[in-house]
Amino acid sequence: MPVFYGTEVVSPLMLGTAQYPSPAIMAEAFRASRAGIATVSLRREGGSGQDFHRLIKDLGIPVLPNTAGCHSVREAVTTAQMARELFETPWIKLEVIRDDDTLCPDVIALVEAARVLSEDGFQVFPYCTEDLSVCGRLLDAGCEVLMPWGAPIGSGRGLNNPYGLRSLRAHFPDVPLVVDAGIGLPSHAAQAMELGYDAVLLNTAVAKAGDPVAMASAMALAIEAGKLAHGANPIEARDMAAPSTPLFGMAVLG
């Protein structure tokens, strides 16, 4: 199971809490997903009051607050400080957004905010790109986890850059890595785990599905399959065919 900042979680699936048809369906989807972490936006919680807060606590799993919607270092740091008081955790999923169309991370502001928060005692989970230099700077800033995107948030496009994600895994073999954003199908989640990633974070793919509970269950199974496949040391892709039936011992017809 993945370990983040010394805490082992029960599942590689990290599931968001926004956009569900109802609180009851959200709770049922979490049970079906067997998620190890629930991610919560402070803005989402603030609009729902104590009932939502109680529902999150009743899930019985660690909470990862996030700074969703923040566009500056100051805004992200202030939101993180508020989240720490509300949820009583040093964990924070750090989002600093530059472009509203793609919701691409502002990597320069992200590194700065990560440094400020790390120095303030936060345990930062940065939503970033798969750029090796950016990820290296985030680690230098105090992060012990990296969360590169698979594709733009909510797009459901899957892994846009498998090569970059594979390179990141190879370059930082001992750093916990989480594919965050863009997952739309169970096959996307399985692919992330097949690349050797430690966890997958998703929200929209489950919350906005026609049947969120069924999709949550499918994601759980896919992540488990991908994890098992990676551990099984899968065969390498090749350009030419290779017979699965040995030629030795076959009858010679003349």
Side-chain angles (χ1 to χ4, degrees):
M1 292 297 104
V3 177
F4 302 119
Y5 291 99
T7 298
E8 184 176 26
V9 297
V10 299
S11 165
L13 176 56
M14 304 163 71
L15 189 59
T17 55
Q19 304 186 77
Y20 291 85
S22 71
I25 291 177
M26 186 198 80
E28 191 175 353
F30 264 85
R31 287 191 292 270
S33 73
R34 305 189 297 276
I37 291 175
T39 64
V40 181
S41 168
L42 188 65
R43 287 168 169 79
R44 170 70 176 91
E45 198 283 335
S48 303
Q50 291 301 313
D51 288 342
F52 181 76
H53 194 200
R54 189 179 307 110
L55 179 61
I56 296 302
K57 292 186 68 174
D58 288 345
L59 295 174
I61 56 178
V63 173
L64 176 62
N66 67 49
T67 63
C70 292
H71 289 76
S72 69
V73 173
R74 181 178 180 181
E75 187 180 12
V77 169
T78 300
T79 301
Q81 292 168 340
M82 294 171 62
R84 179 167 59 183
E85 291 187 16
L86 180 62
F87 294 103
E88 300 179 334
T89 176
W91 283 8
I92 191 71
K93 179 191 170 188
L94 179 60
E95 296 183 28
V96 186
I97 301 302
R98 173 67 179 180
D99 178 72
D100 286 331
D101 289 331
T102 65
L103 299 180
C104 179
D106 181 338
V107 295
I108 296 175
L110 181 69
V111 172
E112 183 180 349
R115 190 180 308 279
V116 171
L117 290 171
S118 295
E119 291 174 354
D120 192 27
F122 282 90
Q123 296 173 341
V124 180
F125 295 66
Y127 163 63
C128 57
T129 66
E130 68 276 20
D131 184 277
L132 289 174
S133 62
V134 171
C135 288
R137 291 184 182 276
L138 286 167
L139 295 175
D140 292 341
C143 299
E144 297 180 14
V145 179
L146 296 171
M147 303 182 72
W149 65 349
I153 295 171
S155 67
R157 296 182 59 86
L159 308 188
N160 276 352
N161 186 8
Y163 169 79
L165 293 172
R166 187 180 296 109
S167 297
L168 189 65
R169 176 73 285 175
H171 199 76
F172 299 113
D174 300 321
V175 176
L177 299 180
V178 182
V179 169
D180 175 16
I183 299 297
L185 295 170
S187 57
H188 300 156
Q191 184 184 12
M193 298 303 293
E194 288 168 4
L195 291 176
Y197 275 65
D198 297 279
V200 171
L201 193 158
L202 56 92
N203 187 167
T204 309
V206 168
K208 301 296 285 186
D211 186 338
V213 177
M215 184 59 77
S217 181
M219 289 293 184
L221 294 171
I223 287 173
E224 182 64 21
K227 178 184 174 184
L228 289 172
H230 176 73
N233 191 22
I235 64 172
E236 295 289 337
R238 52 184 293 156
D239 293 329
M240 301 296 291
S244 57
T245 302
L247 299 178
F248 179 78
M250 292 184 65
V252 178
L253 304 177

